Every structure is written in structure tokens, then in C-alpha cells.
Amino acid sequence: MDIERVLSEKESDFTVKTKVHIHRLFEKFGFDEVFGRGAVMELLELKKSGASKLISNLVQADIIESVSGHGKRKVQI
């Protein structure tokens, strides 16, 4: 499975910028690696609020999911 297929299945109306961010996250972390807001901030050069908003939007769209057992507020694609 690739990220394009995931995005097309979700039928989300993401902006081009958000889609670029999703692709960069996928390229860095793939489907199995767990990451948090700090990693999103560093990779995408976002501030805390922007990274938090992006993560929240992706969780709501079922692109990423929260995981437990890896520390506070970690997610994966």
C-alpha cells in the first residue's frame, strides 16, 4: 500500500500544502514508525501550533492514528 492510495481512499479535501506535508511524513516515517509533534515540527519546519493542527487534522481524517506505549501523544501513519 502507498500513501497515494491511502489519500484517495479517504477522499479528503486537503490543500496542496497539506498533501506535500503528508508525503514528507510518509517518506520519513513510512507506515510503521511512531512519531510525535516534535518530529513533525522539525521535519516540516512548523511551529507547535501548526504541527498540532496538522496532526489533529490527520487523525480526524484517519490518515494517522494515536498509539499507546510509545510515550505521550505519539502517532503513526
Side-chain angles (χ1 to χ4, degrees):
M1 183 178 293
D2 64 9
I3 197 64
E4 285 299 326
R5 185 172 173 192
V6 171
L7 289 174
S8 67
E9 288 175 357
K10 302 302 178 184
E11 297 180 25
S12 298
D13 294 326
F14 291 122
T15 65
V16 172
K17 185 175 182 178
T18 300
K19 288 179 183 179
V20 169
H21 287 329
I22 293 168
H23 281 278
R24 290 185 65 198
L25 288 170
F26 177 76
E27 288 171 6
K28 174 74 174 176
F29 301 111
F31 283 107
D32 298 321
E33 193 168 334
V34 175
F35 58 94
R37 182 179 65 193
V40 173
M41 290 171 56
E42 183 179 327
L43 178 66
L44 303 177
E45 299 178 358
L46 297 173
K47 294 182 181 179
K48 282 184 182 182
S49 60
S52 294
K53 185 175 180 178
L54 176 64
I55 289 171
S56 177
N57 288 341
L58 297 182
V59 168
Q60 288 178 349
D62 292 325
I63 300 294
I64 61 176
E65 60 186 21
S66 295
V67 294
S68 60
H70 294 278
K72 190 174 181 181
R73 296 185 196 115
K74 300 296 183 189
V75 294
Q76 73 181 34
I77 297 177

